[in-house]
Amino acid sequence: MFSRQASGLSRRLRFVSRAVAPSRLASGNNSSRSLFCENNSRFSSSHKGNLTLWALLSGQVGILLGMNSNISMAESVSVDKSVSQNDFGEAYLSGLRKIEDGSVISNEHTSKWRIFTDNGRDLFQKGKFDEAESYFLSALQEAKEGFGERDPHVASACNNLGELYRVRKTYDKAEPLYLEAINILEESFGPEDIRVGAALHNLGQFYLGQRKLEEARACYERSLKIKGRVLGLGHPDYANTMYHLGVVLNLLGKEKDSEALIQDSIRILEECGLGESVTCIRRMKYLAQILIRSNRLPEAENVQRKSLHVLELAKGWESLDTVLAAEELALTLQSIGNLSESRELLERCLEVRKKILREDNIQVSANMLHLARNAMLNSNKLRKRNITEANIELDKAKNLLDNSIRIAQKVLNNLRSNMSGPQIGGEVHAAVVILLQSIDAFGLVEITKHEMQEPKEETATPREAEIALSQLLTIFKEPGIRRAVLKSPELKAEYLSCLKHLLNLFSQSATDEILKLKEEIELVEPDLSSDKRRRK
């Protein structure tokens, strides 16, 4: 029977590659999923002679994107996730401060407007949006009463309020405010003024957050032209708009143009002494994603090594930022086939995570899953040369997966209260994916171990694989976990993929197990199909 299983291995393993990359950022889901699908295509073409390798590599992207939302597109462009001084536009604020500091006659309205504006900005940056909104509305009223409907102070108040509504995703209120601010600034200073350029950048952020890509592109291109002329081609604010335009072009499928802009934006920051800034590191991560997507792994490796080196110098290894950068590099190295260095990095990441976080943290579980995949790939490499060493690697993988499953289950048990609400928390999402992929990999380990024993006659499906199946069905019949899965199309797809993979791992003699799997698939699959139709 196992010889028949071996001959059908390529057919069975295709299900491993269908893992869906969950993201805690709704705005980042599509790009994450797109990147993951692109990686699947890449591996299927570049490892045709080694489908086990392809199957194991393809799953790692989903876990990395699911666990580390800071490398997803939405976080990289600061859309609806982080509020910084740059969100207002430093040049824009600088220009407005000139007005505030004496270019008009001070009066009672000037003083009130300034107080409302400064307090609103301070609260906005602290994330106290309700209080900030009240101050910004008061600033807008004072500006109109004190300076007139078409005064630049009104433009400032409109822009600040528009930024707040953008971050809160109240898009219908934000857009008219942005457009009003730009119109007033153009009337007051001319269409090529730097304040107009900064306001256009903010409007581009607004459109990008809604994935109105052509509108965002037009705003960024015009803003870039103005900033380049006024500030110069080596200014960090010019580089900021350049980077965001690069992100838009990447989402539009113009990867070469996007890559050139992002590389230039990184170069400008480095030349300005900002090469170790969080902004520069974030841009390097995004550039690495583009390179991976286009199957330029050695170039991605170089960018990731550079990013890791900067973080090692700036923060040391006792930082989760450094750990995440090392993990990204490790998975790229694993994709290339450098399993030894990849393992060293992953083991160091695990050591640091256990020290900084609790040993039962979900990131520790994900790290163990990555290491288990590394061991499985190494076993596959050793299989033809040394069966004993190959089996040792599989035993390592099995132990890591046991622990990964245990931690993910514990995390889910502790998060039961978050599974009943309308939204699924990011940690719940990640824990479900890690649990599914760990159980899936566990079943594959057991099948592989039995295949390597080369039995002379057909035997039943390995008992350990049956236990994995039983564990999977038991866990996902628990009401809280099942509700969480059924609420999320991504989790349903992941669960269905795991069920189908396990179905193909079982021998035809395992009638009861096959029947259980088919029944569960028949329950989940129609629901997932309905989700897909609703999204079209």
Side-chain angles (χ1 to χ4, degrees):
M1 185 275 294
F2 285 111
S3 61
R4 186 168 68 247
Q5 284 185 330
S7 66
L9 186 61
S10 62
R11 176 176 62 85
R12 300 194 312 258
L13 287 179
R14 71 181 186 277
F15 293 109
V16 180
S17 67
R18 294 176 56 184
V20 176
S23 173
R24 286 174 286 180
L25 305 173
S27 58
N29 279 351
N30 291 338
S31 65
S32 298
R33 196 177 305 115
S34 174
L35 172 62
F36 187 39
C37 292
E38 288 292 333
N39 274 281
N40 285 344
S41 299
R42 165 166 55 82
F43 289 127
S44 63
S45 60
S46 60
H47 296 288
K48 288 180 180 178
N50 195 337
L51 289 170
T52 304
L53 178 68
W54 164 65
L56 292 171
L57 288 173
S58 61
Q60 67 194 30
V61 182
I63 287 295
L64 184 63
L65 290 175
M67 283 301 302
N68 307 331
S69 62
N70 64 320
I71 70 166
S72 68
M73 197 288 302
E75 180 74 5
S76 297
V77 299
S78 303
V79 175
D80 300 326
K81 185 64 178 176
S82 61
V83 179
S84 66
Q85 183 75 7
N86 193 51
D87 281 329
F88 290 111
E90 291 179 4
Y92 181 37
L93 284 178
S94 177
L96 287 173
R97 286 194 187 103
K98 292 178 183 178
I99 299 172
E100 296 167 22
D101 291 337
S103 62
V104 296
I105 299 173
S106 294
N107 56 33
E108 180 183 353
H109 290 292
T110 305
S111 177
K112 288 183 178 180
W113 177 85
R114 183 180 294 117
I115 291 171
F116 289 141
T117 298
D118 289 345
N119 286 341
R121 288 172 180 163
D122 182 58
L123 290 165
F124 179 38
Q125 291 181 320
K126 291 178 180 178
K128 299 180 179 180
F129 297 138
D130 289 338
E131 297 171 67
E133 180 182 9
S134 178
Y135 277 106
F136 284 155
L137 286 169
S138 297
L140 180 59
Q141 181 180 346
E142 288 295 331
K144 288 181 177 180
E145 291 179 1
F147 307 111
E149 296 281 338
R150 309 302 293 173
D151 187 88
H153 290 81
V154 176
S156 171
C158 285
N159 180 77
N160 292 339
L161 193 56
E163 285 289 276
L164 183 144
Y165 288 142
R166 173 182 72 84
V167 171
R168 299 188 78 172
K169 299 184 181 180
T170 314
Y171 297 131
D172 58 329
K173 292 183 179 180
E175 186 171 19
L177 290 165
Y178 283 123
L179 295 173
E180 181 71 358
I182 291 170
N183 287 335
I184 292 172
L185 291 170
E186 286 179 330
E187 289 176 9
S188 301
F189 304 110
E192 298 300 312
D193 187 82
I194 186 59
R195 286 156 285 205
V196 175
L200 283 165
H201 177 95
N202 290 340
L203 181 59
Q205 291 282 82
F206 168 76
Y207 286 133
L208 178 54
Q210 298 177 82
R211 295 302 180 270
K212 294 182 177 179
L213 300 180
E214 289 297 345
E215 291 90 337
R217 176 181 181 174
C219 289
Y220 286 136
E221 286 179 342
R222 188 178 165 199
S223 176
L224 191 66
K225 181 180 177 182
I226 294 171
K227 289 182 178 181
R229 182 180 58 81
V230 178
L231 301 175
L233 305 182
H235 195 280
D237 199 46
Y238 174 79
N240 183 40
T241 299
M242 176 185 287
Y243 169 73
H244 285 83
L245 177 57
V247 170
V248 169
L249 293 178
N250 181 47
L251 294 173
L252 287 169
K254 301 180 183 296
E255 292 185 353
K256 288 185 179 179
D257 293 335
S258 169
E259 181 187 333
L261 287 170
I262 292 170
Q263 284 181 332
D264 278 347
S265 77
I266 293 170
R267 174 186 54 77
I268 291 169
L269 289 184
E270 290 174 337
E271 290 174 354
C272 293
L274 299 172
E276 296 182 4
S277 66
V278 172
T279 298
C280 193
I281 296 297
R282 183 177 295 156
R283 292 179 190 180
M284 284 193 279
K285 287 184 176 183
Y286 191 72
L287 176 60
Q289 288 185 50
I290 294 175
L291 294 169
I292 290 171
R293 186 175 177 179
S294 59
N295 198 24
R296 293 156 63 189
L297 298 184
E299 293 175 63
E301 177 192 344
N302 289 336
V303 173
Q304 289 172 332
R305 285 189 186 279
K306 183 177 180 181
S307 176
L308 177 58
H309 178 67
V310 170
L311 284 167
E312 281 183 288
L313 293 176
K315 297 188 175 185
W317 267 93
E318 299 296 306
S319 163
L320 286 178
D321 289 333
T322 306
V323 169
L324 292 174
E327 185 174 61
E328 291 159 24
L329 173 59
L331 297 184
T332 299
L333 292 169
Q334 191 162 287
S335 301
I336 292 171
N338 187 347
L339 299 180
S340 176
E341 187 179 359
S342 174
R343 176 178 290 189
E344 289 177 9
L345 284 170
L346 289 171
E347 286 176 343
R348 189 167 188 183
C349 289
L350 183 61
E351 180 184 344
V352 176
R353 277 190 168 116
K354 285 182 175 180
K355 184 176 180 180
I356 297 176
L357 307 169
R358 300 187 312 272
E359 291 205 8
D360 59 356
N361 187 279
I362 194 61
Q363 289 192 39
V364 173
S365 179
N367 206 145
M368 288 177 171
L369 177 54
H370 290 320
L371 273 168
R373 286 199 173 109
N374 183 286
M376 293 166 76
L377 290 166
N378 200 36
S379 172
N380 186 66
K381 206 172 183 180
L382 293 167
R383 188 168 177 173
K384 292 181 179 179
R385 300 200 313 264
N386 192 318
I387 288 291
T388 301
E389 290 184 11
N391 269 305
I392 290 172
E393 288 296 300
L394 287 178
D395 287 336
K396 290 179 183 177
K398 182 179 175 181
N399 184 57
L400 287 161
L401 292 169
D402 275 335
N403 284 313
S404 178
I405 291 168
R406 175 184 55 79
I407 293 171
Q409 284 183 275
K410 184 175 181 180
V411 169
L412 287 173
N413 287 335
N414 293 337
L415 294 172
R416 288 178 187 278
S417 59
N418 292 341
M419 298 180 194
S420 57
Q423 299 296 325
I424 301 171
E427 197 170 5
V428 172
H429 211 145
V432 171
V433 172
I434 292 164
L435 181 58
L436 281 166
Q437 294 196 5
S438 295
I439 292 173
D440 199 11
F442 186 91
L444 183 57
V445 165
E446 288 305 316
I447 293 293
T448 306
K449 284 175 69 71
H450 279 72
E451 287 177 348
M452 288 168 60
Q453 292 172 9
E454 298 181 357
K456 295 182 179 179
E457 58 182 31
E458 293 188 3
T459 60
T461 303
R463 176 61 182 158
E464 295 280 8
E466 292 182 8
I467 292 172
L469 167 64
S470 176
Q471 187 178 31
L472 174 72
L473 295 178
T474 300
I475 291 168
F476 286 88
K477 283 183 178 178
E478 197 281 325
I481 296 177
R482 194 167 190 84
R483 278 196 302 271
V485 170
L486 294 179
K487 284 178 182 178
S488 167
E490 290 83 4
L491 292 182
K492 272 186 281 192
E494 182 77 41
Y495 183 43
L496 187 62
S497 172
C498 188
L499 289 170
K500 289 184 175 180
H501 185 207
L502 285 172
L503 176 63
N504 282 272
L505 289 177
F506 278 86
S507 66
Q508 293 302 314
S509 61
T511 309
D512 291 341
E513 287 76 13
I514 289 175
L515 183 60
K516 290 176 185 177
L517 280 166
K518 286 183 176 179
E519 287 175 350
E520 186 70 356
I521 289 169
E522 287 171 2
L523 286 173
V524 177
E525 197 161 31
D527 199 24
L528 184 60
S529 299
S530 298
D531 290 336
K532 290 178 180 177
R533 285 194 296 271
R534 282 194 295 269
R535 288 199 296 267
K536 289 182 179 179

